[in-house]
């Protein structure tokens, strides 16, 4: 935020602010018939089915502005919603963005938030078609709703995994949690010893994973290209164990995953060791990775195993077998949804 020019929102008023934030808004998708500026947007999905998802981000609960640039926050607030759309095997098309903010936020600060929103809209090819703008007594609250389209019946739920299916995950896991741990550590040091500059130890990858995550648009594109339809899918927002348990619970099945197959970035692994954390535990319980966790029939093995950024980490079993993690040492442990919340909720 540029502290030198600070325009109070009150000096503009709500309508001029909305106008200011949306004046350069572009429309990219043919289905966006009517966008910002009327009582409602009009959308045509041309015979496709529509998926809708919404997420709310609250300052002090989901993000901390002490180390989160507003531009990144705008980007991330869009990405976390698009990730849910992709997790349905759908292609995001439109979104609405609602904000509530206290008088701590200037017009310039909100414009910076929107720069991030527009950057995500450009990258993911979605249209911002509306929202709401209001004040709050304290802090910033962001609510995004995303709409996506999918060929009729082609959406993928959490409930279709079958015995024998392979369990796959995109990218790597645990990095976002480690990035958050680093940012929280530096914030604490900075607060206790005023003036000491944060030391991010050149940990670009893990910091980027928490501040500016990406949604796996490419994986959905790969499924379409190869004609693959996962049997079940979700995006990893709470950590591998609790998200895999969601699939197994909804699908009425059990699972086996192998510790050695869980993808972990090498920088993240080394940083975990440095903090005396178990990298596998970070992947299992960390959360906020926004990777896709999905199951496929064994007949799709060939196609999926050739993808450089998809790991096959285990398989689906009958429900009586429970959910097991086979460690590198070969012992079997029950997978549990750890209540290890990576977000530092302020008391
Ligand atoms: P109404 O009173 O009918 O709800 P508003 O004045 O709230 O209308 O909004 C006017 C237009 O601006 C609508 O199209 C609305 O969707 C859009 N809009 C309002 N706030 C935002 C925002 N923060 N971001 C994007 N669009 C917004
Ligand atoms: Mg309104």
């Amino acid at each position: 935020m540029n502290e030198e020019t600070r325009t109070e929102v009150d000096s503009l008023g709500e309508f001029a602010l909305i106008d200011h934030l949306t004046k350069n808004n572009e429309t990219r998708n043919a289905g966006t018939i009517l966008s910002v500026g009327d009582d409602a947007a009009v959308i045509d999905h041309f015979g496709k089915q529509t998926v809708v998802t919404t997420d709310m981000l609250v300052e002090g609960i989901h993000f901390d502005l002490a180390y989160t640039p507003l531009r990144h926050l705008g980007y991330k607030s869009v990405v976390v919603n698009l990730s849910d759309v992709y997790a349905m095997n759908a292609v995001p098309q439109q979104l609405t963005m609602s904000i509530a903010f206290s008088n701590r936020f200037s017009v310039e600060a909100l414009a910076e938030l929107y720069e991030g929103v527009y950057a995500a809209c450009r990258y993911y090819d979605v249209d911002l078609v509306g929202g709401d703008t209001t004040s709050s007594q304290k802090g910033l609250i962001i609510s995004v709703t995303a709409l996506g389209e999918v060929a009729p019946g082609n959406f993928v739920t959490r409930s279709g995994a079958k015995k024998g299916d392979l369990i796959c995950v995109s990218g790597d896991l645990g990095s976002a949690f480690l990035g958050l741990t680093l940012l929280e550590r530096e914030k604490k040091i900075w607060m206790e010893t005023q003036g000491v500059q944060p030391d991010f130890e050149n940990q670009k990858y893990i910091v980027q994973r928490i501040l500016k995550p990406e949604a796996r648009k490419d994986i959905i594109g790969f499924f379409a290209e190869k004609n693959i339809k996962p049997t079940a899918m979700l995006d990893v927002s709470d950590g591998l164990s609790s998200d895999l348990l969601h699939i197994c619970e909804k699908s009425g099945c059990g699972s086996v995953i192998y510790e050695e197959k869980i993808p972990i970035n090498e920088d993240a692994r080394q940083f975990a060791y440095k903090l005396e954390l178990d990298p596998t535990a970070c992947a299992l319980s960390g959360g906020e990775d926004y990777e896709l966790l999905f199951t496929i029939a064994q007949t799709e093995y060939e196609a999926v195993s050739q993808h450089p950024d998809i790991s096959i980490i285990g398989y689906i079993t009958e429900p009586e077998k429970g959910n097991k993690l086979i460690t590198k040492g070969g012992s079997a442990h029950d997978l549990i949804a750890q209540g290890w919340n990576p977000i530092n909720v302020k008391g």
Side-chain angles (χ1 to χ4, degrees), residues 216-230:
R216 296 311 300 254
K217 174 185 182 172
D218 58 323
I219 301 290
I220 298 309
F222 169 75
F223 292 154
E225 187 194 313
K226 300 281 178 193
N227 227 347
I228 295 169
K229 188 182 172 197

Side-chain angles (χ1 to χ4, degrees), residues 12-31:
L12 275 190
E14 180 192 336
F15 301 124
L17 174 69
I18 296 172
D19 201 41
H20 180 69
L21 294 178
T22 59
K23 63 178 183 290
N24 295 322
N25 190 24
E26 287 171 33
T27 294
R28 300 175 181 81
N29 294 301

Side-chain angles (χ1 to χ4, degrees), residues 8-297:
E8 296 300 330
V9 169
D10 282 351
S11 73
L12 275 190
E14 180 192 336
F15 301 124
L17 174 69
I18 296 172
D19 201 41
H20 180 69
L21 294 178
T22 59
K23 63 178 183 290
N24 295 322
N25 190 24
E26 287 171 33
T27 294
R28 300 175 181 81
N29 294 301
T32 306
I33 308 295
L34 186 65
S35 181
V36 172
D38 219 298
D39 294 312
V42 180
I43 294 165
D44 193 336
H45 282 298
F46 305 111
K48 297 221 171 142
Q49 289 179 334
T50 303
V51 304
V52 187
T53 177
T54 192
D55 259 307
M56 195 181 280
L57 299 175
V58 179
E59 184 178 356
I61 306 289
H62 303 100
F63 59 87
D64 186 335
L65 290 176
Y67 51 71
T68 310
L70 281 162
R71 194 178 285 109
H72 287 45
L73 180 63
Y75 193 89
K76 182 170 176 174
S77 62
V78 172
V79 163
V80 299
N81 279 275
L82 301 188
S83 181
D84 281 324
V85 173
Y86 292 124
M88 298 300 293
N89 199 32
V91 180
Q93 302 283 314
Q94 289 89 12
L95 55 92
T96 64
M97 169 99 189
S98 299
I99 49 176
F101 48 87
S102 69
N103 57 13
R104 208 174 94 226
F105 294 86
S106 65
V107 172
E108 287 77 14
L110 297 170
E112 200 179 317
L113 179 81
Y114 268 68
E115 274 178 39
V117 170
Y118 288 124
C121 285
R122 277 193 300 275
Y123 186 71
Y124 291 98
D125 206 19
V126 296
D127 298 329
L128 175 69
V129 299
D132 201 17
T133 306
T134 187
S135 46
S136 80
Q137 279 193 339
K138 204 167 163 284
L140 175 63
I141 299 162
I142 302 170
S143 171
V144 178
T145 298
L147 300 167
E149 59 178 40
V150 59
N154 213 31
F155 58 87
V156 175
T157 65
R158 299 175 173 190
S159 58
K162 301 254 174 334
K163 184 187 162 193
D165 285 356
L166 302 172
I167 302 170
C168 309
V169 68
S170 65
D172 62 76
L173 301 173
S175 298
F177 170 75
L178 286 160
L180 181 67
T181 306
L182 173 61
L183 292 173
E184 285 287 340
R185 181 190 77 182
E186 291 309 311
K187 181 189 168 190
K188 196 158 170 271
I189 294 173
W190 186 79
M191 283 178 32
E192 284 166 2
T193 53
Q194 284 294 331
V196 171
Q197 282 307 303
D199 176 11
F200 297 122
E201 303 186 29
N202 217 9
Q203 294 289 346
K204 278 205 192 107
Y205 183 71
I206 61 171
V207 170
Q208 180 211 320
R209 292 284 282 171
I210 185 73
L211 291 183
K212 189 174 174 284
E214 301 290 355
R216 296 311 300 254
K217 174 185 182 172
D218 58 323
I219 301 290
I220 298 309
F222 169 75
F223 292 154
E225 187 194 313
K226 300 281 178 193
N227 227 347
I228 295 169
K229 188 182 172 197
T231 50
M233 181 155 62
L234 49 56
D235 65 329
V236 184
S237 51
D238 298 333
L240 176 60
S241 42
S242 94
D243 286 322
L244 178 57
L245 288 173
H246 285 316
I247 287 186
C248 292
E249 206 170 288
K250 290 266 179 177
S251 300
C253 59
S255 63
V256 174
I257 58 171
Y258 295 90
E259 182 183 15
E260 61 182 8
K261 305 275 189 200
I262 298 174
I264 296 173
N265 171 271
E266 199 42 44
D267 286 353
R269 185 188 298 281
Q270 294 310 324
F271 189 66
Y273 288 144
K274 212 171 150 184
L275 299 183
E276 296 182 2
L277 291 172
D278 174 12
T280 303
C282 295
L284 288 172
S285 310
E288 289 222 70
D289 292 307
Y290 301 106
E291 294 295 345
L292 291 173
L293 176 68
F294 55 96
T295 54
I296 52 160

